[in-house]
Amino acid sequence: MHTILGAGGPTANALTKELLNHNPNETIRLVSRRPLKVTGTNVTWQKADLLNYAEVLAAVKGSAVVYMCAGLIYDKTIWQQQWPVIMQNLINASKETQTRLIFFDNVYMYGLVKGPMLETTPYNPISVKGELRARIATQLMEEVKAGNIQATIARAADFYGTDSMNSFLDMMVLDKYAKKTSAQWIGDPKVLHNFTYIPDTGKAMYLLGQTPDSDNQIWHLPTAAPITGKEFITLAAEIYGVKPAHTTINKFMLQLVGLFKKVVAGTVEMYYQYDHDYNFNSSKFENTFKIKPTSYKEGIKHMSETLYRAK
């Protein structure tokens, strides 16, 4: 049985699709706080609050692999209060059940990196959320080093290609061009940045789940090479058949909007990612699994034909 914690989110949905496509006869348990529509004879849903250890334990019992794909409200105070509790619950449940754990993570713990971000890049967070991510990642891998659990950290860059506009690229670029309106870009469109295509995260998480030899390591999931914001905007506009019209949002503007919207306020401390080069490297995964990330052209074209269709 494969259990997905945080079912219903973009990565969880992409992973569920991969499991259904490749393992139609294996049981998939979707776990979330809110009910989900379940499709497939071998797919079940189970309610669990990840802050409640008894519910976490009940959710993972009987699983061969547990994929942790849940996210929290984008608020540093909530992260400080809840992530350490959730991580300890995951560790304790993994110990008790001896279940393989694959933890889906981001890159905040690296801080501002000059050059490529690698699996071996030291943690040097420069934000509260980054400090918290470094803490829980270290907490997990210390248990791995002690031989107490089998766990993997799977990291992705900022992503696009969601079915719920949980990405600023989907919401502020692709959806805008689909509606023939001007796009918006956070930060400096002249600096480099790369983005992970959500369907690629599903495929990569599936491969890690199928490969026990990949356990007890950190993996950067397949992600196309960095391009400038201007290049992404120009490519998207070409595919959607519109002019590459866009406005930019600077840190001061984020701070102003953040006075009224807490979610936006949470992005201010991460602004360094959008006014400096951001180079996420996934060559370890690509070389090991012989897989290439979806190109931006392919990804945007697919989105223009499916979710964010040109009007």
Side-chain angles (χ1 to χ4, degrees):
M1 181 169 66
H2 297 262
T3 296
I4 302 175
L5 305 178
T11 297
N13 288 345
L15 172 58
T16 302
K17 183 177 179 181
E18 291 297 318
L19 289 168
L20 287 170
N21 287 343
H22 291 94
N23 301 76
N25 297 319
E26 291 187 6
T27 302
I28 302 171
R29 178 186 287 164
L30 304 179
V31 179
S32 61
R33 287 184 298 174
R34 298 179 182 85
L36 294 174
K37 183 180 179 182
V38 173
T39 57
T41 56
N42 296 320
V43 182
T44 62
W45 172 77
Q46 186 165 325
K47 180 182 182 299
D49 181 347
L50 299 182
L51 293 168
N52 184 311
Y53 179 63
E55 293 184 12
V56 172
L57 182 61
V60 306
K61 274 187 175 177
S63 305
V65 188
V66 172
Y67 307 85
M68 171 56 177
C69 300
L72 297 179
I73 294 172
Y74 207 65
D75 182 294
K76 60 187 177 185
T77 302
I78 291 175
W79 280 33
Q80 287 173 313
Q81 293 169 346
Q82 297 187 7
W83 268 122
V85 177
I86 291 172
M87 179 55 77
Q88 194 60 58
N89 285 344
L90 292 173
I91 289 169
N92 291 344
S94 298
K95 286 180 181 178
E96 189 162 340
T97 61
Q98 291 300 296
T99 299
R100 293 173 59 214
L101 173 65
I102 300 176
F103 181 78
F104 184 68
D105 200 5
N106 61 32
V107 300
Y108 292 180
M109 71 293 302
Y110 295 140
L112 180 58
V113 180
K114 293 183 178 180
M117 287 180 262
L118 305 169
E119 289 86 348
T120 54
T121 296
Y123 297 166
N124 186 31
I126 58 173
S127 64
V128 173
K129 286 190 282 291
E131 290 171 357
L132 199 282
R133 299 304 293 211
R135 174 182 166 187
I136 62 173
T138 301
Q139 185 181 356
L140 181 62
M141 296 312 287
E142 283 180 348
E143 295 288 346
V144 167
K145 291 174 185 175
N148 296 328
I149 58 174
Q150 281 185 279
T152 297
I153 292 179
R155 291 197 173 118
D158 288 338
F159 52 77
Y160 75 105
T162 69
D163 52 8
S164 58
M165 284 205 289
N166 277 11
S167 150
F168 95 82
L169 284 189
D170 294 339
M171 179 173 58
M172 299 167 67
V173 179
L174 303 187
D175 187 55
K176 296 287 188 184
Y177 282 162
K179 295 174 179 175
K180 308 298 183 185
T181 59
S182 179
Q184 295 174 299
W185 193 264
I186 297 176
D188 185 352
K190 298 189 295 296
V191 302
L192 292 170
H193 203 111
N194 46 355
F195 303 91
T196 306
Y197 187 47
I198 278 292
D200 286 350
T201 69
K203 293 173 185 176
M205 292 283 281
Y206 168 79
L207 287 172
L208 291 174
Q210 297 296 308
T211 314
D213 286 347
S214 69
D215 288 353
N216 306 328
Q217 300 178 57
I218 297 171
W219 295 90
H220 283 183
L221 304 186
T223 300
I227 60 175
T228 66
K230 186 176 181 180
E231 288 172 324
F232 189 96
I233 287 168
T234 301
L235 180 59
E238 181 182 329
I239 291 170
Y240 277 92
V242 298
K243 292 182 179 180
H246 68 278
T247 57
T248 58
I249 300 174
N250 61 30
K251 190 174 184 178
F252 178 68
M253 294 166 69
L254 284 178
Q255 290 170 327
L256 284 179
V257 176
L259 294 175
F260 308 97
K261 292 186 178 181
K262 209 166 187 179
V263 172
V264 176
T267 66
V268 174
E269 68 168 350
M270 309 311 302
Y271 187 78
Y272 71 89
Q273 295 187 115
Y274 305 106
D275 65 350
H276 293 82
D277 284 344
Y278 174 116
N279 182 358
F280 180 84
N281 182 286
S282 59
S283 58
K284 174 185 172 183
F285 194 104
E286 295 174 44
N287 293 335
T288 301
F289 289 95
K290 310 303 180 188
I291 186 173
K292 289 293 180 184
T294 301
S295 70
Y296 297 117
K297 184 175 183 179
E298 290 175 281
I300 297 169
K301 187 172 187 300
H302 183 257
M303 298 305 294
S304 74
E305 295 168 347
T306 54
L307 295 180
Y308 306 117
R309 298 183 182 89
K311 301 292 190 289

